[in-house]
Amino acid sequence: MKKKIAVIAITMTAMVSILGCSVSDTPEESGKATEVIEDGDQKLEITEDEVILKGTAEEDTDTDTETGTRVEQINIENTEGSLVYVRHELTKDYNGADAVRIYFTYTNKSAETKTAQSTFYPQVFQNGIECGFTAGDFMDPNEAESNLSKELMKDSSLEVAFIFTLQDITNPVVLKVTDQSPENLFDDIYQEQELSLQ
């Protein structure tokens, strides 16, 4: 029992010193609840404020976790599926504006039927600005682009393509794919890949 009390006392002492909090000699003055831990000659007082501060510090650390990654080739995966970059090409959108069409292989790993768009969210940035999602020429339909709306059964794969309007056809773009699965929706998990247009 004395060993447990000693470990608790040492842990609390370290916590207090890390947070830079000073322990009051007269806890009655603060009006806060105070716990006193004794082990032989050692005595440690822990106030309510110090426990709250410790919880806050741990929560702040968790929010700073790095979840984004710059990769050579996007290959993002979760329990519901995977999306793997295949290639890209310059094209024209339905309005005749310059665009980039990006091809992926999408695999559904979920028991439910799903589309690539229901699990992953691709974006393209050029010169630091997001490019708008668009559609290709309706008179010359692209099969992979049409596949975006097709649902896949479990363990099925299909080539899909997303198309984005460009600002110019010389500067490279950054492709960013974010994991939108329910398990990772609020974790900001993504991969980025730079694509040359030349």
Side-chain angles (χ1 to χ4, degrees), residues 100 102 122-126 129-131 164 173-176:
V100 61
I102 305 174
Q123 295 170 282
V124 166
F125 296 85
Q126 189 175 43
I129 301 168
E130 184 178 11
C131 298
F164 300 88
V173 298
V174 174
L175 169 63
K176 177 180 179 180

Side-chain angles (χ1 to χ4, degrees), residues 19 32 47-59:
L19 294 174
K32 300 282 184 186
T47 66
E48 218 175 275
D49 287 338
E50 291 161 15
V51 174
I52 291 168
L53 283 172
K54 179 181 183 292
T56 304
E58 285 176 351
E59 289 165 12

Side-chain angles (χ1 to χ4, degrees), residues 87-189:
R87 68 188 185 283
H88 66 281
E89 64 188 11
L90 287 174
T91 187
K92 298 286 185 181
D93 71 6
Y94 70 99
N95 269 335
D98 291 323
V100 61
R101 182 181 287 119
I102 305 174
Y103 294 85
F104 297 91
T105 300
Y106 168 64
T107 302
N108 179 22
K109 298 194 301 183
S110 170
E112 301 174 21
T113 59
K114 289 194 177 290
T115 66
Q117 297 175 95
S118 64
T119 309
F120 301 100
Y121 178 57
Q123 295 170 282
V124 166
F125 296 85
Q126 189 175 43
N127 306 314
I129 301 168
E130 184 178 11
C131 298
F133 181 74
T134 187
D137 185 353
F138 299 123
M139 303 305 286
D140 184 21
N142 179 278
E143 184 179 354
E145 198 177 328
S146 301
N147 288 342
L148 279 179
S149 59
K150 292 183 181 175
E151 293 197 350
L152 275 68
M153 296 179 75
K154 185 175 182 178
D155 298 328
S156 298
S157 297
L158 189 64
E159 185 175 70
V160 297
F162 295 84
I163 184 169
F164 300 88
T165 305
L166 294 170
Q167 298 169 19
D168 60 71
I169 57 170
T170 55
N171 288 311
V173 298
V174 174
L175 169 63
K176 177 180 179 180
V177 177
T178 305
D179 184 337
Q180 292 289 285
S181 63
E183 65 182 321
N184 298 322
L185 186 59
F186 301 106
D187 294 334
D188 196 27
I189 295 173

